Each structure stands twice: as C-alpha cells, then as structure tokens.
C-alpha cells in the first residue's frame, strides 16, 4: 500500500465520485440526440469529476465536470458531460480540442496525507464541495473513460486512457442550496476514487457534424447547463 504522505506529494491529481442515478430523474438533463443508457433497470451511472494538473514552478490548473448519466449516441457510448469548469486564470491551451465550453472558477484545494478537499466557486457563487478520505491508496488499474458532450450543434466524443495506481476513499459531497447544481439527482453512491493525473492520456476528440441540439435547448438552458 502506498504511504499516505505520497498523496500530498502527487504532481497532479484526479478524483471522481460516482453514483447510481435514477434514469427518469436525470433524463430531462440529457439533451437529444443522446439516450440515457441504463446499467440496471431504471438506473444509470453518473457523478462528479475534478482534477488539478501541474504546470510547473509549483503552479497548477484545475477543472471540474458534472457527468449526469451514461449515454449512447449511435454506436458510441460514454458519460455525458453537461458542465465543465476551469481555473479562471488558467490557460485553455491544450483543452480547446475537447470542444467544451468552459466556465471560469476558483478552486480551493487542500491535499494532505489524510484527506483530499476541494471547493469550487464560479462567478455565480459556490458550485460544489468534495471531501475524500483515502482508504486504499495504491491499486494497479487500467481503464478507458469515454466522454460525450455537445459543442454548438455537434457532438464531441473523446476518451481518457488511465494506466495508473488508483486509490479508493470514503467521500462527502456538499452542493449549496444556491449552487447551479442544487437539485441535481445524486442517487446511491457507488465509488469514490483518486489517481495521479500524470498517468492520464487523452485521445484526440472526434467531432460529429450533426444537429445535436434538437429539443435540447431547454435542458442546456437550465442552471446546470447554462454557460457550461
């Protein structure tokens, strides 16, 4: 098992908290042409994602994303990302090809040998707070994390390849009542994990030039999707 103090010394850090979410409650937040994919009858998988990447000279850039559901689009399947927030002072270079509209935010990290803590605030106010308390700090693991999102009137598909040692944790998530995410249907918590961001490889995104927003303007205009 990895020594606890190695967590605080990570050059980069990713974490997510995943939930089993009632498909009926989250479906209004998923725009056409995506279809919510059930992993159990009446339930899909979604959650929250956050990361900080070392940029040199003890500086970092951070990002936060909301994954309402696991969806399908034609033959592709992946997690739909409805919200993407990045450091308000961070350069977007290298992130542009993802095709994600970025909302500026302020990220307050506290990473120690015993816990990982993050609070995210946007110009509209507090967004979310996440607290992780590591249980197992080093488990060999490799996977692919597919993402589907909307860019204008098109669909963007990309994959994160993870070949790393991941950690498992207990977690708590706080969404303030004034947050744009208030009311987001978080369901049964499945797993909370963290890993070294330096071991993530992002494949070049694929852009599908098709009408993506038919019937979706209302969903994307909700507090969760607006401007993100």
């Amino acid at each position: 098992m990895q020594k606890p103090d190695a967590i605080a010394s990570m050059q980069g850090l990713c974490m997510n908290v995943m939930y089993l979410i009632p498909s009926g409650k989250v479906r209004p937040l998923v725009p056409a042409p995506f279809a919510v994919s059930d992993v159990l009858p009446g339930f899909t998988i979604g959650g929250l994602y956050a990361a900080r990447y070392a940029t040199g000279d003890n500086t970092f850039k951070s990002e936060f994303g909301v994954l309402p559901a696991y969806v399908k689009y034609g033959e592709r399947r992946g997690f739909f990302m409805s919200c993407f927030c990045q450091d308000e002072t961070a350069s977007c270079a290298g992130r542009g090809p993802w095709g994600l509209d970025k909302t500026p935010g302020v990220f307050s990290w506290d990473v120690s040998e015993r816990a990982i803590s993050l609070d995210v605030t946007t110009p509209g106010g507090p967004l979310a707070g996440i607290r992780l308390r590591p249980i197992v700090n080093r488990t060999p693991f490799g996977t692919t994390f597919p993402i589907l999102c909307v860019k204008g009137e098109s669909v963007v598909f990309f994959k994160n390849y993870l070949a790393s040692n991941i950690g498992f944790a207990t977690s708590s998530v706080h969404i303030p009542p004034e947050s744009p995410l208030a009311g987001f249907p978080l369901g049964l918590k499945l797993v909370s994990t963290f890993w070294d961001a330096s071991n993530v490889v992002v494949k070049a995104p694929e852009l599908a030039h098709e009408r993506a927003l038919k019937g979706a303007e209302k969903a994307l205009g909700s507090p969760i999707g607006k401007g993100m």
Side-chain angles (χ1 to χ4, degrees):
M1 180 180 295
Q2 183 184 20
K3 292 182 178 180
D5 59 4
I7 299 170
S9 65
M10 284 183 180
Q11 289 301 303
L13 176 66
C14 296
M15 64 179 181
N16 67 16
V17 182
M18 302 302 289
Y19 295 83
L20 196 62
I21 299 176
S23 300
K25 290 185 178 181
V26 79
R27 192 167 284 114
L29 305 178
V30 177
F34 302 125
V36 175
S37 183
D38 286 358
V39 295
L40 290 174
F43 291 90
T44 185
I45 294 179
L48 307 175
Y49 155 84
R52 69 173 189 176
Y53 298 92
T55 56
D57 298 327
N58 293 320
T59 60
F60 299 88
K61 62 180 179 181
S62 299
E63 59 191 34
F64 172 85
V66 177
L67 310 169
Y70 191 70
V71 301
K72 56 185 177 181
Y73 169 69
E75 296 182 354
R76 296 184 176 94
R77 293 178 183 268
F79 292 97
F80 168 61
M81 182 176 285
S82 66
C83 161
F84 186 74
C85 179
Q86 192 176 49
D87 282 314
E88 60 182 356
T89 57
S91 168
C92 292
R95 292 301 185 204
W98 284 28
L100 293 171
D101 294 329
K102 304 170 185 65
T103 292
V106 176
F107 291 71
S108 300
W109 290 91
D110 185 3
V111 182
S112 70
E113 63 183 42
R114 296 176 183 237
I116 302 168
S117 175
L118 170 65
D119 289 296
V120 184
T121 303
T122 68
L127 189 64
I130 304 175
R131 308 286 183 270
L132 264 61
R133 188 170 296 277
I135 301 173
V136 177
N137 298 327
R138 191 178 180 89
T139 302
F141 188 77
T143 189
T144 299
F145 203 78
I147 301 289
L148 284 159
C149 57
V150 171
K151 179 183 181 182
E153 296 186 352
S154 299
V155 171
V156 176
F157 175 74
F158 59 92
K159 292 181 179 180
N160 288 353
Y161 292 90
L162 170 64
S164 182
N165 294 301
I166 73 170
F168 294 89
T170 60
S171 67
S172 63
V173 173
H174 174 62
I175 298 179
E178 67 273 24
S179 169
L181 300 180
F184 182 79
L186 296 176
L188 176 65
K189 190 179 296 180
L190 292 177
V191 65
S192 304
T193 60
F194 61 94
W195 59 92
D196 192 332
S198 64
N199 292 325
V200 177
V201 177
V202 181
K203 182 182 177 182
E206 302 174 24
L207 185 63
H209 296 277
E210 298 182 13
R211 174 65 176 168
L213 298 183
K214 183 178 180 181
E217 284 80 1
K218 182 177 180 180
L220 289 178
S222 69
I224 290 179
K226 188 175 181 180
M228 299 185 177

